[in-house]
Amino acid sequence: MKIPFFDYPALFRLYEAEVVEAFLSAGRRGAFIMQSDLTDFEAQLAKYTGAKHAIGMADGTMALLIGLRAAGIGKGDEVIVPSHTFVASAAAIHHAGATPVLADCGRDHLIDAASIRARIGKRTKAIMPVQLNGRVADMDPILAIADEHGLRIIEDSCQALGATYKGRQAGTFGAAGAFSFYPSKTLGTFGDGGAMITNDDDIAEHAQLLRDHGRGKSGKVEAWGYNSRLDNIQAAILNVKFRHYDKEVARRRAIAGQYDQRLRDLPQLQLPPPPVEGGVHFDIFQNYELEAERRDELKAYLAENGVGTLIQWGGQTIHQFERLGLAAKAADVPYTERMTSRFIMLPMNVSVDDASVAYICDKIRKFYGAA
Ligand SMILES: Cc1ncc(COP(=O)(O)O)c(C=O)c1O
């Protein structure tokens, strides 16, 4: 069997006719920048997440940067962000003029509240929880810390569209939330794309102008802005993909359930929490990330047997990127440090069928000598 970690052509074939139709329609209307496909998508995203405003952006990184700036975070401020995230989370903080301060994660691979508390200083202005792998962090203690210290929350929910915590959608816990529509994301387009959501009218208005060269509704330039609009064609593709989104999330949760059932007895693995109905968390499984003993050998063995796996961030978390000059040491983020030699992701997307999941799990069991 050959099971690639990610099958991009299969992803395109899935809704090819509908996507081509959307492309032709936008093309024939000459609808390329800030047109109705974009406003339709923004309205859909706002409705889906329950946020008052959704604003399309060029990508998730810009959605984070603009979210930070629109929420008033900038020079001299510190923002606490987990070390186990894509460098884009910290880069957005840096480019907003602030300093990323790295926190540890826990067994769920999400930012740890005790570590946030330990990293708070005089200049701390905000927390950026990263809702990694399609799961929302344990937000109650994080909200309590933010409240106690008067900190803003800017959520990196780039990997978590539709995930909920106590019924509340990822991206809606703070001043602003960011989403990425990079092709491999659960809601992926065929290029780059992103969006910011907020319930705050002022942040929304500021973000609208920052994404469009600082131009306000009258066309007058009111701030130094960016060219960071979500392309209308990408929005048209996203409108097609959105129609199938709930069904795709259900399939991902079913795959995760099968991995859990077939692998949970192996002591060499630490699996992510399985999908549950009606619990505190509703996870959408952007990724199926686990920890494994002899991780690199397992990866090589699976590759020999035709199974593609991926180690996020190339196996390095942000505190290990020495050239970025961040002050965090391994001792500040002990769980993350230990985990970097153990974490790995199994194939998780809608083109993985049940037979493939069974095959992958059989190979893993064989590798560890389990029946
Ligand atoms: C956790 C996280 N943050 C930020 C980003 C940045 O999103 P984008 O690639 O759309 O800029 C991504 C995705 O790539 C991500 O996974």
Side-chain angles (χ1 to χ4, degrees):
M1 246 182 166
K2 271 240 158 304
I3 308 161
F5 180 75
F6 207 86
D7 188 347
Y8 285 105
L11 207 67
F12 182 71
R13 282 194 304 273
L14 213 50
Y15 313 117
E16 185 173 328
E18 285 174 79
V19 167
V20 169
E21 180 54 40
F23 179 78
L24 287 175
S25 160
R28 285 173 182 151
R29 283 180 281 127
F32 302 125
I33 301 285
M34 306 269 265
Q35 298 298 311
S36 62
D37 305 87
L38 174 60
T39 46
D40 287 352
F41 175 68
E42 290 172 333
Q44 261 200 92
L45 183 63
K47 186 158 174 241
Y48 189 84
T49 56
K52 194 166 174 196
H53 306 276
I55 302 152
M57 303 275 178
D59 51 55
T61 311
M62 287 307 296
L64 284 169
L65 168 57
I66 288 177
L68 286 159
R69 276 197 58 193
I73 287 140
K75 211 161 170 228
D77 298 333
E78 289 182 353
V79 180
I80 298 174
V81 60
S83 181
H84 181 36
T85 180
F86 188 34
V87 68
S89 320
I93 297 166
H94 171 82
H95 290 301
T99 305
V101 173
L102 301 176
D104 206 4
C105 64
R107 275 174 71 92
D108 57 2
H109 295 187
L110 302 171
I111 195 164
D112 176 58
S115 176
I116 294 175
R117 209 176 262 289
R119 308 294 281 149
I120 291 176
K122 279 207 278 297
R123 290 161 64 184
T124 309
K125 189 80 175 278
I127 304 167
M128 183 184 283
V130 180
Q131 318 298 24
L132 209 61
N133 299 324
R135 180 178 171 91
V136 179
D138 189 9
M139 290 304 293
D140 280 350
I142 297 173
L143 293 171
I145 293 170
D147 210 34
E148 194 184 317
H149 294 270
L151 306 176
R152 300 214 102 170
I153 288 182
I154 309 294
E155 233 179 307
D156 181 342
S157 37
C158 283
Q159 295 197 359
L161 176 64
T164 66
Y165 172 83
K166 298 192 171 173
R168 201 162 154 189
Q169 288 271 334
T172 63
F173 288 86
F179 295 108
S180 167
F181 309 122
Y182 183 84
S184 62
K185 293 291 190 269
T186 48
L187 187 71
T189 187
F190 300 137
D192 277 309
M196 194 207 89
I197 59 171
T198 183
N199 287 323
D200 183 309
D201 295 342
D202 292 337
I203 290 178
E205 197 181 327
H206 198 178
Q208 297 262 16
L209 58 95
L210 287 178
R211 75 155 175 193
D212 187 33
H213 300 288
R215 290 182 292 200
K217 284 196 187 95
S218 66
K220 238 171 77 185
V221 173
E222 294 173 27
W224 289 110
Y226 311 92
N227 181 352
S228 183
R229 301 165 301 226
L230 174 62
D231 282 347
N232 194 67
I233 295 262
Q234 300 296 352
I237 294 168
L238 287 165
N239 286 332
V240 170
K241 302 282 296 282
F242 227 154
R243 295 205 277 269
H244 303 279
Y245 193 62
D246 286 341
K247 175 185 74 191
E248 291 207 355
V249 167
R251 175 63 196 151
R252 284 172 179 273
R253 287 170 55 81
I255 294 170
Q258 289 176 29
Y259 276 137
D260 189 76
Q261 208 191 351
R262 289 173 182 277
L263 297 173
R264 69 176 153 218
D265 62 313
L266 294 184
Q268 298 90 346
L269 301 180
Q270 184 184 302
L271 303 178
V276 286
E277 294 302 329
V280 170
H281 293 266
F282 179 88
D283 302 337
I284 58 134
F285 291 93
Q286 162 66 54
N287 303 309
Y288 194 78
E289 184 174 75
L290 57 135
E291 292 180 46
E293 283 177 18
R294 296 162 54 214
R295 190 261 325 259
D296 294 340
E297 280 173 68
L298 173 66
K299 183 171 176 44
Y301 177 82
L302 289 174
E304 277 162 31
N305 285 281
V307 178
T309 55
L310 191 77
I311 297 171
Q312 283 202 100
W313 343 122
Q316 271 200 305
T317 55
I318 298 180
H319 74 280
Q320 297 171 334
F321 295 141
E322 284 160 14
R323 297 184 78 166
L324 294 185
L326 297 177
K329 298 177 293 293
D332 295 324
V333 289
Y335 193 95
T336 308
E337 175 70 15
R338 197 167 58 245
M339 191 190 68
T340 51
S341 62
R342 290 171 49 83
F343 68 108
I344 184 165
M345 305 192 301
L346 301 180
M348 168 56 80
N349 58 78
V350 289
S351 54
V352 178
D353 60 13
D354 291 356
S356 301
V357 177
Y359 175 83
I360 295 164
C361 295
D362 282 351
K363 292 297 168 200
I364 294 174
R365 298 190 71 82
K366 209 161 175 186
F367 175 77
Y368 288 118

